[in-house]
Amino acid sequence: MKAELPRNLFRTSRPAPLAGPALAWKSFFRDFRREDLTICLLSLAILSGVIIALHAIGAEGPGASWLAVNILVYFNVLIYAVLIDAVMRILKARPEKPLHFAFAYIFSRANLQKIACAIPVIIAVGAFMPGFSSIKSSIELFSSFTWDTTFIALDRSLHGQDPWRLLQPFLGYPGITQLLSSAYHLWFMLIYFGPIYFAVYGTDRMLRLQFFLAFFLTWTICGMVLAIAFASVGPCFIGPLLGNGYFADQMGYLSDVHRIFPLFTVEIQEQLLLWYKAGDHGLGRGITAMPSMHVALAFLYVLAMRRVSKPLGWLFGTFCLLIMLGSVHLGYHYAVDGYVAIAVTAAIWAAAGALAKRLRTMPAPMALLARSNGSMKLAATSTI
């Protein structure tokens, strides 16, 4: 049976014409919604607060080069996402001319307009992340690392033993450890591909708004405010940074596995330690444990993707469980770091949902402007 292209993709057998800059901007001003403006303003407000806070303690804020580089990374990811989307559509439709099909879809007016309208949100996310990184690498300038012994005691009180020791009979095998290390590395896809998906391809506008509100607030509250308030370094750094050898056995096991099966997480831990001792506060640097941003972001995607589909909800739920187990097994976090992250993220998600509903009932800013212009024209006409 001959595969047919999706209806309304293009009307003739020729590829749809490229949408020029004028058309893209026209689409942007027509479709720009109040929720997009809210997302951009929230990012700007948090980034401004970060810069002010860093300057107040004599630290450098994220420079223009950081912002530009990270925004460029997000646009590179956008290109990959567009190509992946085209490939998925080819696999689904199985057209006779795959390249023609892909070209027509990618450069169709509808697709380019959708991408154009998502650009402000993508820029907002790209500019925001260096702000978080600057705070993370400067935590010790805000607060001393004094909470580790408290979290160790809390872990033992809740579990009756150090959680990593309880997990060791089940996870303490080189193959499993390497699997968890790989999943921990794969987590970074959530930072880049996830926002692109919701900015461009998310069809549920309410979910899209709720996701981005929760995304920024989770990074801010968990990754900055609580990280400063409960400054801690975690099991893997408590020895070299605080002189506490409590987790020497765990780190010894990871070192032994690393010699057999290279663990990317161990290499990252070593690099973070070198950056910290060198006073390098660049993008991606910094050490912090409570709460776990790995668990917080993974759980945020569980809450969001289950609204997209149940299978995706289960998939991201499984991934979140791997991240939670890996955060303890690989020495990055105490178990309570993950528990707090899940509780706070759940509260943020609920609050973001309530705010999203309120914002969605408001008219779009461009619609208000158009309505205002229309009223002025009507008034002018009536006076003639």
Side-chain angles (χ1 to χ4, degrees), residues 94 294 353:
R94 297 182 179 181
H294 271 73

Side-chain angles (χ1 to χ4, degrees), residues 28 31-45 117 120-121 124 205 208-209 213 216 359 363-366 368:
F28 166 72
D31 296 337
F32 192 61
R33 297 173 173 86
R34 181 177 292 271
E35 61 252 35
D36 297 299
L37 179 62
T38 301
I39 293 167
C40 295
L41 290 178
L42 179 60
S43 172
L44 179 61
C117 292
V121 174
R205 300 294 301 185
R208 179 180 183 270
L209 176 58
L213 292 176
F216 288 125
L359 290 171
M366 297 306 172
L368 287 174

